[in-house]
Amino acid sequence: MTSRLTALLPDLSPWRTSRDFRLLWVQGLVTYLGSVMALIALPLQIKDLTGSPLAVGAMGAVELVPLVVFGLYGGALADAVDRRKVILLTEAGLGLLAVVLLVNAMLPSPMLWPLYVVAAGVAALAGLQRPAMDSLLARIVPHDQLAAAAALNALRWQIGAIAGPAAAGLVVAYAGNVPAYATTVAGFAASVLMCRRLSAVPPVEHAARPSWRGILEGARYAWSRPVLLGTYAIDLAAMFFAFPNTIFPFLADELDAEWSLGLMYAAGSVGSLFVSLTSGWVSRTRRHGLLVVCGAAGWGVAVAAAGWTSNIWLVLVCLGLAGAGDMLSGLGRSTIWNQTIPDRIRGRLAGIEVLSYSVGPQLGQVRAGAMAGWTGARPAIWTGGLACVATVGVLAAVLPKLLSYDARTDEDALRRAGEVTDLRKRGVTAAE
């Protein structure tokens, strides 16, 4: 019994074998816990300054275009230059934007326009950084430990997602915006120091300069690979049809359980955390496409059940199960991306990945909000969940190579494993 339980625990191999993975794991946690203070304080400050829900919602519109444009270009940049430099410079830039928020909050009369400028700047820098960060993993972690590394990274995010907002809410509520922004500045300062200790990760030999032509090359590569195309399409479908977070306040009202709103937002992260804490088996899995499909379908079923039931406790359980399904699908997607994409275009494909998991929730919030205004919150949620399940089923049927993907036999996965071996022999990978 003890050995079976031990087998479920997270696989710590990446932590033991890669110094750079350890640095990035701690750096990511520090950055998230610091930046979540600003993520909570910024919309609340706009609300306090304007009293307008529209003004708060406009922040999302300001962020979307920079995220899309710079996310795509950031992918091309990650393939052309040292990824460590991209991460370091963008992290420093994010720290400077946090300083702007702090200085503005310290003014006798804080101004509104800098908040939108910072929001757009953060989206742009995050778009530049994320592809370099995501594409770095396959260079610093052994090929056979990529699934374990994805699980550990997910665990880091979940710790931050549960603890961060709770701490940030207390700081903002009882201490105000200035201490919150000061914490964000301190977090980025510590993060920059850790990023400086990362090993250099130079581009592969004869890497192309960043260009929109190169971005199109990456898009054509993704389009030519049914397995990759399936991961993007299923993630977009799941988020578009079954991302109900924006209407949680209305669901709480319909269930006469306003007290449960915070628990609704946290339930998904709790479910994801459970999967991460019992993810030892993921390292032994080779059918990652099946994981993507089953996880996304499970997400849809759980969301549909959350909208259908009128018992608040069952709703919370269903949302927790939805988070678990989403995490399973996410682990499968991340592993496939890192196992199959050649390093020469890994950054550009990471830019496309940024769009697949950021645009979907944005559009999903619009769909859920619009439908809830017409049918009410519960029908908007359960019909979206069923639409998610149906769409995932259709995509799995249309793209059977995703469902049959096996890391032991897939040509791209085997080619990528050989590429990693060659890079290590030539000393191109980051030092461990």
Side-chain angles (χ1 to χ4, degrees), residues 109-335:
S109 298
M111 296 178 287
L112 178 63
W113 66 266
L115 305 183
Y116 290 109
V117 171
V118 168
V122 168
L125 288 173
L128 286 174
Q129 183 190 81
R130 189 63 184 264
M133 189 75 78
D134 288 351
S135 60
L136 185 62
L137 187 65
R139 292 279 291 272
I140 64 175
V141 172
H143 190 73
D144 60 351
Q145 295 178 11
L146 288 171
L152 290 176
N153 279 342
L155 178 61
R156 176 194 65 193
W157 182 86
Q158 289 142 13
I159 292 172
I162 295 172
L170 292 174
V171 171
V172 173
Y174 293 103
N177 292 326
V178 171
Y181 292 141
T183 303
T184 302
V185 172
F188 278 114
S191 175
V192 167
L193 292 176
M194 282 185 277
C195 288
R196 291 187 63 186
R197 297 181 58 198
L198 291 170
S199 304
V201 187
V204 296
E205 193 174 357
H206 306 305
R209 297 181 62 182
S211 66
W212 292 110
R213 182 178 179 180
I215 293 171
L216 290 176
E217 179 190 354
R220 283 194 295 268
Y221 179 89
W223 185 260
S224 70
R225 296 301 193 273
V227 173
L228 290 179
L229 199 60
T231 64
Y232 300 142
I234 283 180
D235 188 38
L236 281 170
M239 293 298 102
F240 176 75
F241 288 113
F243 189 75
N245 292 30
T246 192
I247 56 175
F248 279 167
F250 302 96
L251 177 62
D253 288 343
E254 288 187 16
L255 297 176
D256 194 25
E258 291 82 359
W259 54 268
S260 68
L261 182 58
L263 296 177
M264 288 184 185
Y265 283 113
S269 296
V270 172
S272 298
L273 179 62
F274 175 79
V275 171
S276 294
L277 290 175
T278 58
S279 62
W281 59 273
V282 174
S283 298
R284 300 183 292 278
T285 298
R286 299 295 179 265
R287 298 287 302 278
H288 302 104
L290 186 63
L291 207 61
V292 172
V293 173
C294 292
W299 157 270
V301 169
V303 168
W308 185 263
T309 184
S310 59
N311 183 293
I312 183 57
W313 296 108
L314 288 179
V315 168
L316 294 174
V317 170
C318 289
L319 292 176
L321 293 174
D326 185 45
M327 177 51 54
L328 289 174
S329 184
L331 289 175
R333 290 195 309 271
S334 177
T335 304

